[in-house]
Amino acid sequence: MSLSLPAFRRKWSCRGYMSLGAAMVTVVLGLADRAEARKYGSPLDIFGIAAPRPRATVHSANVSGKIPLPRPRPEEAPKASETDDKPSADKPGAPKPAEAAPPPEKQASACRLALTEEIAIAPSIPDIRGPGACGGEDLVRLEAIVLPDKRKVAVKPAAILRCTMASAIADWVRKDVVPLAASLGSTISDLDNFDSFECRGRNRVVGAMLSEHGKANAIDVRAIKLANGQSIGLTDRTMPREVRERVLHSVCSRFSTVLGPGSDWYHEDHIHLDLAQRRNDYRICQWNVWDPLPQVAPLLPAERPEEAPPREVAAKPEAKQGVDDEAAEKSPAPGDKPAADGNKTQPHKPATKKRR
């Protein structure tokens, strides 16, 4: 293949010379840099072509086995707080944070502070939040009443009441019932609790206004039992009227509502007591103390006295007597048989009404 100079120039222009020169310079510089680059490891040297990286010189202190210690803390530096020594919650060994503190205890009311164990055994119970307005606050369970001589009057069963109502019951028993029992020659031992707290309407009528029993502000008392075994039934007509009247006057002076026999037929066998608050301190005392029943009920009329004149018997009129004689003649004799079976006569029966 022959190539002339003009053709060579046309094929390899000056631009080609410059490209060739630049390539040669690049190769020379690359060889020089390669020798320098062998001193350091290349991150892309996956085949280990480059020269190994020289190890760092070991200090004489480490060779001798001595470990350098930190400098002492200067005196003017602030002291580390105590919280720095405690592990933080983020560290794995740190204890779990404490739970939220419980709410502070509710302060005792003045009634609760006054109703001590020297007056009544009445432990406090939690507040009751029932449906509607049922329940209340400052509640106690009245188990017994402590008399001035340290004897206890059991409340059977224990009554759940507001503290104010329990305190009123304790004062009534200590100041009024104890002298009453002493006048009967004995001491009080039990208080018959017929009903105390119960979430219901008045007289247990559905839809009625909430009873004071639903507010733990009422108690139903049926009887007072004495130590000698005697029971004073507050609605018992066999009890002396004077005893029941003394109880009536004592409760009506202490409680705002007293319902007993005569108020309605719901309170014929017990006495209802409560401390309902009304406008102008209005009070209700409805309890009729009935007279005792007679020992012998008048089932039959009294016998006619012997000195009474004899009863006169009215004579029959003559006309009526003649009619009666004719009717007696027409009536068949008792032994006669009827002429035919179809003419049997039935005895006359008085007409009576059917009961429903």
Side-chain angles (χ1 to χ4, degrees):
M1 174 180 170
S2 59
L3 185 63
S4 59
L5 182 60
F8 178 81
R9 288 179 178 177
R10 286 195 302 272
K11 187 175 182 179
W12 306 96
S13 61
C14 296
R15 185 177 180 181
Y17 291 149
M18 294 176 65
S19 301
L20 181 60
M24 295 177 65
V25 171
T26 303
V27 170
V28 174
L29 295 176
L31 295 175
D33 294 340
R34 185 177 180 182
E36 184 68 20
R38 288 181 179 274
K39 298 180 180 179
Y40 309 98
S42 175
L44 301 177
D45 187 11
I46 61 176
F47 299 103
I49 302 176
R53 185 175 179 178
R55 297 181 178 180
T57 58
V58 181
H59 297 284
S60 58
N62 294 340
V63 174
S64 61
K66 297 180 179 180
I67 301 175
L69 300 176
R71 296 179 180 179
R73 186 179 183 86
E75 296 180 357
E76 60 274 8
K79 295 182 180 180
S81 60
E82 297 179 358
T83 56
D84 296 342
D85 299 338
K86 297 180 181 179
S88 61
D90 298 337
K91 295 182 180 180
K96 295 182 180 180
E99 298 180 357
E105 296 183 359
K106 189 177 180 180
Q107 295 183 355
S109 63
C111 175
R112 176 68 272 185
L113 296 176
L115 192 63
T116 61
E117 293 185 355
E118 297 180 356
I119 298 175
I121 306 300
S124 298
I125 62 175
D127 299 342
I128 297 178
R129 303 294 183 185
C134 279
E137 300 178 353
D138 195 18
L139 304 179
V140 300
R141 185 174 62 253
L142 183 60
E143 300 175 356
I145 300 168
V146 182
L147 301 182
D149 57 359
K150 305 303 180 183
R151 289 184 298 104
K152 295 180 181 179
V153 177
V155 179
K156 297 182 179 181
I160 296 177
L161 301 168
R162 294 189 180 187
C163 179
T164 52
M165 185 63 186
S167 179
I169 292 293
D171 291 342
W172 171 58
V173 172
R174 288 164 57 93
K175 298 179 181 179
D176 295 343
V177 181
V178 170
L180 175 63
S183 65
L184 299 176
S186 182
T187 57
I188 180 174
S189 61
D190 300 334
L191 184 68
D192 186 4
N193 170 30
F194 188 57
D195 190 18
S196 58
F197 170 73
E198 184 180 357
C199 186
R200 60 175 175 83
R202 292 182 179 178
N203 300 325
R204 292 185 175 86
V205 177
V206 179
M209 186 179 296
L210 182 65
S211 171
E212 291 297 317
H213 287 280
K215 304 175 184 178
N217 196 32
I219 187 174
D220 291 342
V221 181
R222 189 161 45 184
I224 300 171
K225 297 182 180 180
L226 305 181
N228 59 4
Q230 184 182 3
S231 179
I232 303 175
L234 301 184
T235 60
D236 187 4
R237 298 177 67 171
T238 61
M239 294 299 300
R241 182 185 180 93
E242 181 184 358
V243 174
R244 290 177 287 148
E245 286 183 348
R246 287 183 61 180
V247 178
L248 168 65
H249 295 313
S250 65
V251 293
C252 288
S253 63
R254 290 183 175 273
F255 300 94
S256 59
T257 306
V258 178
L259 300 176
S263 60
D264 51 39
W265 67 276
Y266 295 100
H267 301 90
E268 293 297 323
D269 59 348
H270 65 275
I271 304 300
H272 170 92
L273 308 174
D274 69 44
L275 289 176
Q277 295 181 357
R278 301 182 182 89
R279 186 179 301 176
N280 299 328
D281 195 21
Y282 180 72
R283 292 171 174 262
I284 297 176
C285 183
Q286 297 179 356
W287 177 6
N288 294 336
V289 180
W290 304 117
D291 291 330
L293 295 173
Q295 296 181 358
V296 178
L299 300 179
L300 298 175
E303 296 181 0
R304 183 178 181 84
E306 297 179 357
E307 61 274 12
R311 293 191 178 94
E312 296 180 359
V313 179
K316 295 182 180 179
E318 297 179 357
K320 186 176 181 181
Q321 186 176 2
V323 175
D324 294 340
D325 295 339
E326 293 178 0
E329 293 177 356
K330 294 180 180 180
S331 61
D336 297 341
K337 295 183 179 178
D341 295 337
N343 296 330
K344 293 181 179 180
T345 59
Q346 298 290 340
H348 178 70
K349 295 181 179 179
T352 58
K353 295 183 179 180
K354 295 182 179 180
R355 294 183 179 179
R356 296 183 179 179

